[in-house]
Amino acid sequence: MDAKLADTTGVDNPASLADAPPPRKIGPAIIRFLSSPTALIGTIGLSAVIFVAIFAPLLSPQNPYDLMQLDILDSRLAPGSESFAGVPYYLGTDGQGRDILSGIMYGLRTSLIVGIASALVAAVIGTTAGLLAAYSGGRIETLTMRLVDLQLSFPTILMALMILAILGNGVTNVVIAIIIAEWATYARTARGTALVEREKEFIEAARCLRIPGYRILLRHLLPNCLAPIIVIATMQVARAIGLEATLSFLGLGASVTQPSLGMLISNGYQYLLSGLYWISFFPGIALLITIVSINLVGDRLRDVLNPRNAR
Amino acid sequence: MVTSLIRRMIQAAFVIFAMTLIVFIGINVIGNPVDILINPDLNQAERALVIKHLGLDQPLWSQYLSFIKGLMQGDFGDSFVYKRPALEVILERLPATLELALCAMVIAIVVGLPLGLYAGLYPERISSRLIMTGSILGFSLPTFWVGLMFILLFAVQLGWLPSNGRGETAMLFGTPWSFLTSDGISHLLLPALNLALFKTSLILRLTRAGVQEVIMQDFVKFARAKGLSQSRIILVHILKNLMIPVVTIIGLEFGSLIAFSVVTESIYGWPGMGKLIIDSINLLDRPVIVAYLMMMVILFVTLNFIIDICYTLLDPRVRLEGKG
């Protein structure tokens, strides 16, 4: 029911990819991908974010995790002010005298790692479950899909809260919570696509050649189901980053010593009412750029990979 | 019809049963209740006494049975923090959350529906493109950060609206409500707007997609050919056909609004269930956590059940499928 409704919104529309095999030519696809200005913006934004996250130790003016480099005299400085030693704080400092810019660069790392790791693991688990369900059919399929339906009838944040209430707080548990909350989406898509592919001649041919089942799954079924899964995985990275930030903001996630973007925003919450906007504002902008870039890329990926739109 | 109804009911009951099992095992096996429940300063003999008193020395299945028994009677034990029955503590907060969620839903419909209609009817206009870009932002912006920015803008910089609590309340049906006093409304506005943001985008996009689909249909062309006025075509022919998906999504999303109010309530100090559950998780107030989770499970299963029934009633195709 969910998927049916989501289809018409045009936002989460990967299921419609299931109609035909994906286009094979990579070169024109890339050109077509970048021909949209929004996709170009998204790609540039995402590349910048990943670049900053990878090279944070080289780029950042300060190591925000190294307490030796923090000076409490520099706490709560406005953007553009200078430290006691004359080093500029471009985006100001937080309550512990931590440079916001450096905090964002390191926070991006935590956020991206959590987002990508959880989306990838959920993709692997969900795709495996979905493909197995479609390929084997029968009781396994019914059972898996019931579980998927059950999970998708609860909002993600509720599932995550339930899991965190059981496991307790912490980054690892947040990752586990996101994986458990998100795998079902992949499973449903993978099964939907695989059900169509399963009926095609090449699978039948593979069966006639007595190729073992796991090989058919991995070499023949999986590659042909990959397009919609890639699109979902892209969008899910953004969702996972947002969810992690939300959970961290609620005090259930990342540790204080290695703050993610959500934690940085949360740190600024208490200073907000006294007008010290920059502690929450700038990490939020970074989060926004990350999520919007990923969504733009995912949106375009869906258009390009959708054979319906191919001319 | 009756068969599918009964089948759905059995399914719903099974889901609730499965969730009690998951929550029970999760809390009692993965997390150790002894550590959570018992004061670490107690000596060994006192510990044993408390464990016996709480029934934790019983085998797991008999603990589960008494958990189910308590569940049937609405008894989840006393909250450790409030020293009162957990369910009572939660139900007390329910009106505040319902009020917030309802207001957010109304805002989402009042804003999302007309804008979506406009963007669907005139997709080429620049204003429509702006609306659609805005709706992408509504999806992408992290809700909690927007909430903070609302506080910054409207409460701190402009000083127009308060940012914390429910404000003055008035009694109706024996419970306090904020929307009955002007002070209450001013407190309600920011959290409701914040909560509505995501759903507005959703309804907007859904409406637009629906309009574009309906507008291509023959009956709309026929209505045009007949010379009906544009407003009559929009209001009667298009809007009527839009209502089924929109009403469904409103039903579906109401539950998720209640779940997402966790975030908004925490930001604005709104004394509802969502803020309670976050506080309870941080304070390890187990009875409240369990009661909240079970309440949510029952709420969502019921909601899905009702929507399924509505589908069967509204859409003949689903009805036929059930027979086959």
Side-chain angles (χ1 to χ4, degrees):
Chain A
M1 186 192 312
D2 264 342
K4 206 189 292 169
L5 289 166
D7 269 353
T8 43
T9 61
V11 177
D12 266 319
N13 195 5
S16 65
L17 292 179
D19 293 352
R24 289 275 169 269
K25 292 179 196 116
I26 299 293
I30 293 176
I31 294 168
R32 221 147 57 78
F33 178 87
L34 291 176
S35 66
S36 142
T38 48
L40 199 63
I41 295 172
T43 314
I44 293 171
L46 188 58
S47 315
V49 164
I50 293 174
F51 179 81
V52 166
I54 291 176
F55 297 105
L58 300 175
L59 294 170
S60 71
Q62 182 193 71
N63 181 355
Y65 302 154
D66 182 5
L67 292 176
M68 294 299 287
Q69 293 188 24
L70 304 184
D71 193 338
I72 201 71
L73 288 174
D74 288 345
S75 69
R76 285 169 292 183
L77 291 177
S81 45
E82 282 187 358
S83 77
F84 200 63
V87 187
Y89 292 124
Y90 297 106
L91 301 180
T93 61
D94 71 2
Q96 279 87 46
R98 201 182 280 146
D99 177 32
I100 299 283
L101 183 63
S102 311
I104 290 173
M105 288 176 169
Y106 278 82
L108 263 178
R109 290 184 135 188
T110 314
S111 289
L112 279 179
I113 290 171
V114 169
I116 294 172
S118 50
L120 274 184
V121 177
V124 171
I125 295 174
T127 310
T128 313
L131 287 184
L132 274 178
Y135 188 74
S136 49
R139 203 165 279 171
I140 298 178
E141 183 174 23
T142 321
L143 208 71
T144 315
M145 293 335 281
R146 274 287 138 76
L147 195 62
V148 167
D149 283 341
L150 171 67
Q151 254 209 290
L152 290 179
S153 63
F154 295 99
T156 326
I157 189 140
L158 190 68
M159 289 302 304
L161 278 183
M162 195 179 281
I163 293 151
L164 287 176
I166 290 170
L167 296 178
N169 305 350
V171 191
T172 331
N173 291 342
V174 167
V175 174
I176 296 173
I178 297 175
I179 293 169
I180 296 180
E182 301 284 12
W183 74 275
T185 324
Y186 295 96
R188 176 176 271 184
T189 315
R191 173 178 166 267
T193 321
L195 275 183
V196 178
E197 295 294 324
R198 193 182 66 174
E199 303 303 324
K200 297 212 169 135
E201 285 85 357
F202 66 93
I203 298 287
E204 207 176 313
R207 277 210 182 118
C208 292
L209 289 170
R210 295 195 62 87
I211 294 174
Y214 73 91
R215 228 180 120 80
I216 298 184
L217 269 181
L218 281 179
R219 297 291 298 273
H220 301 274
L221 208 50
L222 179 64
N224 286 292
C225 298
L226 225 44
I229 292 168
I230 290 173
V231 173
I232 299 202
T234 320
M235 303 288 205
Q236 291 291 14
V237 170
R239 284 193 63 180
I241 290 175
L243 189 60
E244 187 277 330
T246 308
L247 292 171
S248 290
F249 174 76
L250 293 173
L252 305 173
S255 60
V256 188
T257 46
Q258 287 215 340
S260 69
L261 290 177
M263 192 73 198
L264 291 173
I265 296 171
S266 171
N267 283 342
Y269 179 44
Q270 51 178 317
Y271 300 109
L272 208 60
L273 286 177
S274 27
L276 308 177
Y277 68 92
W278 57 89
I279 306 176
S280 281
F281 181 74
F282 291 116
I285 293 287
L287 187 63
L288 182 66
I289 293 173
T290 313
I291 294 179
V292 171
S293 302
I294 296 176
N295 280 340
L296 288 178
V297 169
D299 218 37
R300 188 65 189 156
L301 265 182
R302 186 181 53 215
D303 290 345
V304 171
L305 290 178
N306 190 342
R308 268 193 201 164
N309 298 346
R311 311 250 147 155
Chain B
M1 179 69 210
V2 178
T3 341
S4 79
L5 193 78
I6 292 172
R7 197 193 297 156
R8 292 264 178 231
M9 273 175 87
I10 294 173
Q11 272 174 17
F14 179 77
V15 168
I16 293 176
F17 167 76
M19 292 310 278
T20 61
L21 212 60
I22 291 172
V23 170
F24 179 80
I25 291 177
I27 302 278
N28 287 287
V29 180
I30 300 175
N32 186 359
V34 179
D35 296 341
I36 302 171
L37 291 172
I38 295 170
N39 185 347
D41 297 338
L42 296 180
N43 66 38
Q44 209 57 38
E46 283 169 326
R47 252 178 95 91
L49 205 67
V50 180
I51 289 178
K52 196 169 161 59
H53 177 71
L54 291 169
L56 294 173
D57 56 341
Q58 302 284 320
L60 212 56
W61 60 267
S62 95
Q63 283 187 48
Y64 178 67
L65 279 186
S66 55
F67 169 71
I68 291 288
K69 209 172 137 196
L71 183 77
M72 298 282 188
Q73 297 164 343
D75 176 16
F76 294 91
D78 286 0
S79 153
F80 305 146
V81 177
Y82 300 93
K83 309 286 177 209
R84 287 189 294 129
L87 193 65
E88 194 183 300
V89 174
I90 292 179
L91 287 180
E92 226 171 60
R93 310 267 188 128
L94 183 64
T97 300
L98 277 182
E99 181 179 30
L100 183 61
L102 273 174
C103 279
M105 201 41 130
V106 170
I107 292 174
I109 296 169
V110 168
V111 177
L113 202 61
L115 286 183
L117 205 59
Y118 178 82
L121 287 171
Y122 312 106
E124 298 305 320
R125 289 193 188 169
I126 294 177
S127 43
S128 299
R129 299 232 168 120
L130 278 178
I131 290 172
M132 293 319 287
T133 315
S135 80
I136 292 181
L137 273 184
F139 271 114
S140 301
L141 285 167
T143 307
F144 69 100
W145 183 70
V146 178
L148 294 185
M149 292 306 112
F150 276 175
I151 291 185
L152 189 67
L153 185 64
F154 295 111
V156 179
Q157 300 289 338
L158 298 170
W160 289 350
L161 293 165
S163 68
N164 195 35
R166 268 187 99 175
E168 201 182 307
T169 54
M171 298 298 275
L172 183 71
F173 306 125
T175 35
W177 300 94
S178 288
F179 72 96
L180 295 172
T181 66
S182 59
D183 182 52
I185 289 177
S186 71
H187 279 82
L188 184 58
L189 208 58
L190 280 187
L193 266 179
N194 182 227
L195 193 57
L197 194 72
F198 189 87
K199 301 299 169 204
T200 311
S201 309
L202 189 69
I203 292 181
L204 197 160
R205 294 189 79 101
L206 192 77
T207 312
R208 175 177 172 272
V211 169
Q212 291 193 321
E213 205 173 293
V214 174
I215 216 167
M216 305 297 280
Q217 309 255 337
D218 289 340
F219 66 85
V220 175
K221 286 183 192 153
F222 180 65
R224 286 241 166 82
K226 242 177 23 174
L228 291 185
S229 70
Q230 176 80 349
S231 62
R232 193 174 157 78
I233 295 176
I234 293 172
L235 288 178
V236 177
H237 296 274
I238 295 181
L239 209 56
K240 228 182 194 173
N241 282 282
L242 274 179
M243 278 344 264
I244 292 181
V246 172
V247 168
T248 326
I249 202 88
I250 290 170
L252 272 175
E253 295 299 323
F254 188 68
S256 101
L257 269 180
I258 290 182
F260 271 96
S261 68
V262 167
V263 181
T264 304
E265 283 177 15
S266 297
I267 298 170
Y268 293 97
W270 188 263
M273 295 192 302
K275 186 161 164 34
L276 179 71
I277 180 68
I278 296 298
D279 292 345
S280 301
I281 290 178
N282 282 325
L283 296 168
L284 296 175
D285 194 349
R286 195 177 69 122
V288 177
I289 299 174
V290 173
Y292 176 86
L293 291 180
M294 288 325 298
M295 237 181 86
M296 280 296 162
V297 167
I298 292 172
L299 173 83
F300 275 95
V301 171
T302 318
L303 218 58
N304 279 311
F305 180 66
I306 294 172
I307 291 164
D308 270 352
I309 304 262
C310 291
Y311 250 63
T312 326
L313 291 176
L314 287 175
D315 195 339
R317 278 170 301 182
V318 181
R319 220 160 32 217
L320 288 175
E321 206 173 276
K323 271 183 193 159

